[in-house]
């Protein structure tokens, strides 16, 4: 078979920078970010959608990029944990994680942070979770636990992760503008 | 993973003819199941036809009260849809009980219905498995089967179908709209998935090249009062050990309309017709609910390690029906 058919030209906008790449069709977005673009914030925990450590934002929505083929993301806007901060000025969710000591080894943290950014946006949009009652605007620790349940933490830093996301949610209004 | 070609078809016709022309081709929805199985060597497509960009992204109200859902609608968007949340809460709740937000943001309606079993042997290409490699045997019957079927299995396969959405759709008599190259056709969701019999390699009645384009929910006034409940090993982000989707309308203390389907217990979403039949016209009491669900489960054939699913399913179903009937009582 013509080997050119096994690769594709893909354009991605990652953390504001446009990249034009020619990739093997089998590449996952996680491998592309880590191996081709040197963005090693997103972690490969399980590689099977089970742990959330590879969570990034694609067109504003959080996804597990270990199960996404890069070729299927052609034309997408991608934000990784590296793209959340503005130089030394951290994203409010990152600040909340620091203030609350919401990690131990830190391996799951980039995924937790990206997931929290996505979760807060979903809550602000009024999207329901499994514990949302009626059409009340979702809030509270139970909501945060449920919405963050796609992110496992082997160090079990969960109590402080929930507090950090809660802090960030309270400040959502002031930082909403900045969130990609 | 095997090398592969990738295509974004212009439209439905191009998609269907590309897959029809290539025996090793697969449709790609969100890829959350297919890419996983490709990494495991369980699926080895040489062509992926990406159908996530086809114009099947709408949730439309139909004249007469039903709703038509595009196959490419993301699971999270369907769960959040105001029409679905008010008219068919069981659908929204089933979706939100499944997977994680990250997965639901990517997973499509079509892909969700056609996801493969989570049986551990099926996912391990180094093990025998009649579903993955016909004729090699079913190690789950003697091996790890705690999460597998108590209803509808065969001596050839005891796998369960893992979709939560499909259970809600089975309860609602949803129709699956399919395009296969010879014109569109409709398949009742309850007839989409097969029982394994002696052909466990065939999960569904679809043929190679059949594309799901939409799912249609018929008008069902009682579905306003519907719910989904799921028991699992963790509070969240785990597949069902057992689940129940139900809708109920009570008039003068008697069951007027009822819909009941069970998940995590059978090779397909299990419409509990025996229970429904007993319930119609019966008093809406915990006792009547219990008798009806027991009748449904009387044909259960649990394996060595999953007999717990029989009482678990009974409790879950009675609890949901009691909640929908608006009464206390019933098992906790
Ligand atoms: C860790 C984890 C936990 C999960 N937990 C749950 C859970 O609790 N409950 C639950 O229900 N699900 C769960 N899932 C499964 C998830 O819901 C499915 O992977 C998802 O719904 C599949 O949708 P997709 O669009 O990604 O499908 P794909 O992976 O793209 O496709 C799946 C199959 O459908 C075929 N296909 C896709 N679209 C079409 C179409 N339009 N027409 C014909 N064929 C098509 C593909 O060829 C493939 O064979 C979980 C998944 C993971 C990884
Ligand atoms: S239960 Fe079915 S899927 Fe699991 S090993 Fe047996 S044949 Fe394979
Ligand atoms: S590495 Fe993607 S979910 Fe675990
Ligand atoms: S901080 Fe170690 S895995 Fe979460």
């Amino acid at each position: 078979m013509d080997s050119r058919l096994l690769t594709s030209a893909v354009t991605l906008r990652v953390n504001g920078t446009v990249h034009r790449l020619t990739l093997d069709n089998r590449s996952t977005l996680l491998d592309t970010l880590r191996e081709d673009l040197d963005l090693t914030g997103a972690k490969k925990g399980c590689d099977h959608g089970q742990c959330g450590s590879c969570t990034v934002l694609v067109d504003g929505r959080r996804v597990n990029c270990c199960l996404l083929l890069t070729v299927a993301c052609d034309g997408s806007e991608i934000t990784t944990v590296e793209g959340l901060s503005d130089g030394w000025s951290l994203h409010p969710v990152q600040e909340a994680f620091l203030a609350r000591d919401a990690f131990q080894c830190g391996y799951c943290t980039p995924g937790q942070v990206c997931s929290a950014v996505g979760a807060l946006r979903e809550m602000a949009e009024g999207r329901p979770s499994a514990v949302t009652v009626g059409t009340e605007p979702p809030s509270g620790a139970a909501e945060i636990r449920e919405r963050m349940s796609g992110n496992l933490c082997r160090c079990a830093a969960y109590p402080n992760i929930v507090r950090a996301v809660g802090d960030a949610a309270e400040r959502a209004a002031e930082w909403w503008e900045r969130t990609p | 993973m095997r090398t592969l070609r990738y295509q974004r078809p212009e439209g439905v016709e191009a998609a269907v003819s590309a897959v029809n022309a290539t025996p090793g081709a697969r449709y790609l929805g969100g890829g959350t199941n297919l890419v996983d199985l490709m990494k495991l060597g369980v699926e080895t497509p040489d062509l992926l036809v990406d159908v996530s960009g086809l114009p099947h992204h709408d949730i439309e109200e139909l004249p007469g009260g039903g709703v038509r859902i595009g196959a490419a609608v993301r699971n999270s968007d369907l769960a959040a849809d105001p029409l679905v949340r008010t008219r068919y809460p069981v659908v929204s709740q089933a979706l939100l009980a499944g997977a994680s937000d990250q997965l639901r943001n990517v997973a499509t309606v079509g892909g969700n219905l056609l996801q493969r079993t989570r049986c551990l042997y099926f996912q391990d290409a180094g093990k025998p498995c009649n579903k993955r490699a016909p004729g090699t045997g079913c190690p789950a019957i003697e091996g790890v089967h705690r999460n597998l079927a108590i209803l509808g299995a065969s001596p050839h396969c005891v796998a369960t179908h893992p979709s939560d959405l499909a259970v809600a759709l089975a309860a609602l008599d949803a129709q699956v709209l399919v395009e296969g190259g010879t014109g569109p056709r409709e398949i009742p969701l309850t007839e989409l998935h097969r029982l394994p019999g002696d052909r466990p390699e065939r999960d569904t009645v679809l043929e190679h090249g059949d594309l799901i384009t939409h799912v249609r929910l018929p008008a069902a006034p009682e579905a306003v009062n519907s719910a989904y409940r799921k028991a699992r090993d963790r509070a969240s982000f785990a597949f069902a050990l057992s689940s129940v989707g139900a809708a109920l309308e009570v008039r003068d203390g008697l069951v007027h309309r009822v819909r009941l389907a069970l998940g995590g217990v059978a090779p397909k979403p299990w419409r509990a017709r025996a229970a429904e039949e007993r319930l119609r016209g019966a008093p809406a009491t915990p006792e009547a609910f219990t008798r009806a669900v027991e009748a449904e489960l009387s044909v259960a054939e649990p394996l060595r390690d999953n007999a717990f699913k029989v009482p678990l399913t009974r409790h879950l179903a009675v609890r949901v029906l009691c909640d929908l009937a608006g009464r206390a009582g019933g098992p906790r």
Side-chain angles (χ1 to χ4, degrees), chain A residues 161-177:
Chain A
I161 293 172
V162 172
R163 290 186 189 110
V165 180
D167 287 355
E170 276 172 22
R171 293 172 52 199
E174 65 186 75
W175 59 259
W176 206 242
E177 298 297 292

Side-chain angles (χ1 to χ4, degrees), chain B residues 117 119 121-122 129-131 138-140 148 156-159:
Chain B
T117 183
C119 172
Y121 303 97
F122 175 79
C129 165
N130 284 330
K131 191 183 269 304
C138 174
L148 302 185
H156 303 279
C157 179
V158 294

Side-chain angles (χ1 to χ4, degrees), chain B residues 51-76:
Chain B
V51 292
S52 66
L54 292 180
H56 300 141
H57 288 99
D58 294 328
I59 301 170
E60 301 158 85
E61 189 169 4
L62 298 171
V67 171
R68 194 177 77 151
I69 303 158
V73 170
R74 306 289 175 178
N75 286 186
S76 52

Side-chain angles (χ1 to χ4, degrees), chain B residues 26-221:
Chain B
R26 290 283 184 280
Y27 292 118
L28 179 70
T32 60
N33 188 227
L34 184 56
V35 173
D36 198 4
L37 293 175
M38 285 159 58
K39 290 183 182 190
L40 294 166
V42 173
E43 288 276 7
T44 53
D46 56 15
L47 170 65
L48 290 181
V49 176
D50 190 341
V51 292
S52 66
L54 292 180
H56 300 141
H57 288 99
D58 294 328
I59 301 170
E60 301 158 85
E61 189 169 4
L62 298 171
V67 171
R68 194 177 77 151
I69 303 158
V73 170
R74 306 289 175 178
N75 286 186
S76 52
D77 292 334
L78 182 58
D81 184 77
L83 197 60
V84 171
R85 282 177 78 187
T86 44
R87 282 209 203 146
Y88 307 96
V90 64
V91 171
S92 178
Q93 290 173 17
L95 285 162
L96 294 173
S100 65
D101 284 289
Q102 288 97 315
L103 290 160
R104 295 193 294 268
N105 278 339
V106 174
T108 63
V109 167
N112 187 310
L113 299 182
L114 298 183
Q115 61 176 300
R116 312 291 313 266
T117 183
R118 306 302 288 202
C119 172
L120 293 174
Y121 303 97
F122 175 79
Q123 294 181 288
D124 182 346
K127 295 279 195 304
C129 165
N130 284 330
K131 191 183 269 304
R132 176 172 34 75
T136 55
C138 174
I141 291 173
E142 292 296 322
V144 180
H145 56 229
R146 180 173 167 274
N147 197 17
L148 302 185
I150 55 170
L151 290 163
S154 82
H156 303 279
C157 179
V158 294
T160 44
H161 194 267
S163 167
D164 291 299
L165 172 63
V167 177
L169 297 184
L172 294 171
D173 285 311
Q175 299 281 320
V176 180
L177 280 60
V178 175
E179 184 63 70
T182 53
R185 61 190 205 278
E186 285 202 11
I187 303 171
L189 187 113
T190 50
E191 288 164 33
L192 176 69
H193 301 91
R194 295 178 65 255
L195 293 181
D198 58 3
R199 298 283 310 277
E201 70 277 14
R202 293 203 57 187
D203 288 4
T204 70
V205 299
L206 299 183
E207 303 290 341
H208 183 73
D210 279 342
L211 174 74
I212 298 180
T213 60
H214 301 87
V215 167
R216 189 169 56 78
L217 296 176

Side-chain angles (χ1 to χ4, degrees), chain A residues 8-12 14 19-23 32-33 36-37 70:
Chain A
S8 301
V10 177
T11 303
L12 305 174
V14 185
H19 297 271
R20 293 196 176 76
L21 306 160
T22 300
L23 294 167
T32 302
L33 292 171
D36 299 304
L37 302 179
T70 310

